[in-house]
Amino acid sequence: MLSERAPEAGPTTDLMRKAYARWAPVYDVVYDKLTEPAARAAVEAAVAHGPRVLEAGVGTGLSLGYYPRDSFVCGVDLSEDMLKRARGKVRRKGLTHVKGLQVMDVCRLGYADASFDAVVAQFLITLVPNPEAALSEFLRVVRPGGGIVLANHFGQSNGPVARVEEIVAPLCTKIGWSSDFKATRIEAWARRNGVEVVGLVPTFPGGFFKILRMRKPG
């Protein structure tokens, strides 16, 4: 399933690795309960396409226990510090459905074409230096008819909420979310690549997070 595509790192990804190393020890405490409903919904949407799932930006592995035990899950992340914690969860909880956790840049995945039934990325896409490149990699490694599932906070496109989000965008960026990143950017990528947008569904808390589901042609 692995291809010979070598990982590629630049100054931006180096800075991200350093940031993730600082976040790793406290990540679960800050995000676990807040993100659990959205993470569970994203996992459910992903496995609906089949058992072979790639979790891009798996982090400390908070959602690895939400997958069915008969699934086949691989996880990648830019941060070795995060992955060490994810591997610890896999060992402690006996998550035998997790088949591999690797350091990898989501903009240059080391997997062969059509390796997975679905790719799921939670709270990741707005932080990637080149979101469109990451989405194109997700599309490449998903089989025809497979799914791409994103769980994230997406900013409102217009109205008073959108104006407030633009004001608070710098604060949201400090905690890992981008309020000025719109779902319309993802939808535009999907149109250019012939990808079907299945739906954008709000979830806890109060619709702040959303599940964006897409399907690869085929």
Side-chain angles (χ1 to χ4, degrees), residues 63-185:
S63 63
L64 292 176
Y66 305 154
Y67 290 89
R69 292 305 175 107
D70 60 351
S71 55
F72 184 107
V73 180
C74 295
V76 300
D77 200 276
L78 195 62
S79 170
E80 177 63 29
D81 295 273
M82 292 282 198
L83 288 176
K84 285 178 182 176
R85 294 174 181 274
R87 293 184 189 113
K89 287 187 178 72
V90 170
R91 288 192 300 270
R92 290 193 305 273
K93 298 181 179 181
L95 304 180
T96 57
H97 58 282
V98 180
K99 305 303 182 182
L101 296 170
Q102 295 179 285
V103 174
M104 204 174 289
D105 184 348
V106 296
C107 293
R108 195 169 175 82
L109 293 170
Y111 292 101
D113 297 357
S115 291
F116 298 96
D117 296 310
V119 175
V120 59
Q122 301 173 36
F123 320 111
L124 169 77
I125 202 65
T126 58
L127 301 177
V128 176
N130 189 339
E132 286 79 8
L135 290 166
S136 294
E137 279 293 271
F138 299 168
L139 185 62
R140 181 183 66 79
V141 302
V142 165
R143 64 166 173 79
I148 299 173
V149 180
L150 308 178
N152 226 96
H153 171 62
F154 296 109
Q156 298 290 322
S157 296
N158 48 53
V161 174
R163 290 193 290 273
V164 171
E165 287 182 331
E166 289 174 2
I167 294 170
V168 302
L171 175 61
C172 288
T173 299
K174 290 181 182 298
I175 61 172
W177 294 315
S178 176
S179 286
D180 56 357
F181 192 111
K182 317 299 186 197
T184 50
R185 179 172 174 178

Side-chain angles (χ1 to χ4, degrees), residues 35-55:
T35 61
E36 181 179 349
R40 286 186 180 276
V43 166
E44 182 179 354
V47 297
H49 291 277
R52 300 177 70 86
V53 178
L54 173 65
E55 185 158 321

